[in-house]
Amino acid sequence: IQQQQKVKEIEDKIKKIIEEEIRKAREEAKLNNLETPLTPEFIELSSEFETNKGKLPWPLEKGIISERYGLIKNKYVTGVETKNNGLNFHTEPGQFARVVFDGKISRIFYIKGMGKAVLVNHGEYFTVYSGLKNILVTTGDRVLSKQKIGTVITSESESITELHFEIWKGKDPQNPLKWLYRAK
């Protein structure tokens, strides 16, 4: 149950940040008398992101999927499920998380017990990379596909190096398995 609360807290925080980013884009569009909150550049970026469904690079150079998207049964408590809005990857210590598509660093934030997280804006799509310690980018930076954005944390207690990765279309989480190249 504590795990479920933690997952819900993270989901709520990410959703709130994405909603803030969407609201900011709408306000900016209103100020500039634009019909859409997306600039032509971001509309093109969204379109290119969609075109690359199933072809996006993995958010790590090396890694295996340790937890899938969707409802996951608790290993220790029968009948308890938690919802994963993304994918978790186990990797080697010292590995860098990398951006899966061109975009702009929208936000860098801290998630209690999970380290730092980076939100990247790809037009109407967002990607989230959490479980980071050293961040190599700053808010507002333009980033390119496969650019390193931070080092993945290795848990001292469990000796596990794990990255959590999510894709959102607006306020709706997407299944990254459908977006990443040969993810199964």
Side-chain angles (χ1 to χ4, degrees):
I1 292 170
Q2 194 174 11
Q3 179 69 18
Q4 280 178 310
Q5 287 173 323
K6 190 175 173 185
V7 168
K8 179 88 174 95
E9 270 179 48
I10 294 165
E11 178 185 346
D12 290 346
K13 185 167 188 168
I14 290 169
K15 206 172 213 172
K16 186 177 176 195
I17 288 170
I18 289 173
E19 285 171 358
E20 284 174 23
E21 292 301 312
I22 292 169
R23 183 184 46 74
K24 278 198 290 190
R26 284 192 180 129
E27 285 173 7
E28 212 171 283
K30 213 183 224 179
L31 285 173
N32 298 320
N33 291 321
L34 298 170
E35 294 162 25
T36 172
L38 299 177
T39 62
E41 171 195 11
F42 275 104
I43 290 170
E44 185 178 336
L45 197 58
S46 291
S47 167
E48 288 174 19
F49 193 91
E50 271 183 16
T51 304
N52 281 283
K53 190 171 187 173
K55 300 178 208 162
L56 295 176
W58 283 37
L60 295 159
E61 281 183 29
K62 294 179 186 173
I64 59 162
I65 296 170
S66 56
E67 198 171 286
R68 298 184 174 284
Y69 175 87
L71 288 176
I72 290 129
K73 292 182 190 315
N74 189 304
K75 296 174 204 163
Y76 310 106
V77 185
T78 309
V80 174
E81 294 179 326
T82 51
K83 185 175 150 198
N84 188 352
N85 278 333
L87 293 175
N88 292 19
F89 294 88
H90 282 178
T91 188
E92 299 168 356
Q95 280 288 307
F96 290 96
R98 58 190 195 160
V99 178
V100 298
F101 196 76
D102 299 357
K104 183 178 177 184
I105 303 298
S106 210
R107 192 79 70 90
I108 296 167
F109 55 102
Y110 180 77
I111 297 175
K112 190 177 173 191
M114 286 191 68
K116 294 175 184 165
V118 175
L119 177 73
V120 181
N121 184 324
H122 310 279
E124 106 183 91
Y125 289 90
F126 294 90
T127 52
V128 181
Y129 310 78
S130 59
L132 304 174
K133 55 179 180 178
N134 304 328
I135 305 292
L136 306 173
V137 291
T138 56
T139 302
D141 285 358
R142 298 248 177 238
V143 287
L144 300 173
S145 180
K146 298 183 183 177
Q147 183 174 332
K148 294 174 181 172
I149 56 170
T151 314
V152 182
I153 287 178
T154 300
S155 156
E156 289 176 26
S157 60
E158 300 173 33
S159 295
I160 293 173
T161 306
E162 187 173 60
L163 174 74
H164 178 73
F165 171 73
E166 297 181 6
I167 297 176
W168 292 70
K169 181 177 183 178
K171 300 176 196 174
D172 301 317
Q174 305 289 302
N175 182 348
L177 288 174
K178 295 179 179 178
W179 290 87
L180 297 178
Y181 181 73
R182 292 194 177 174
K184 291 181 173 68

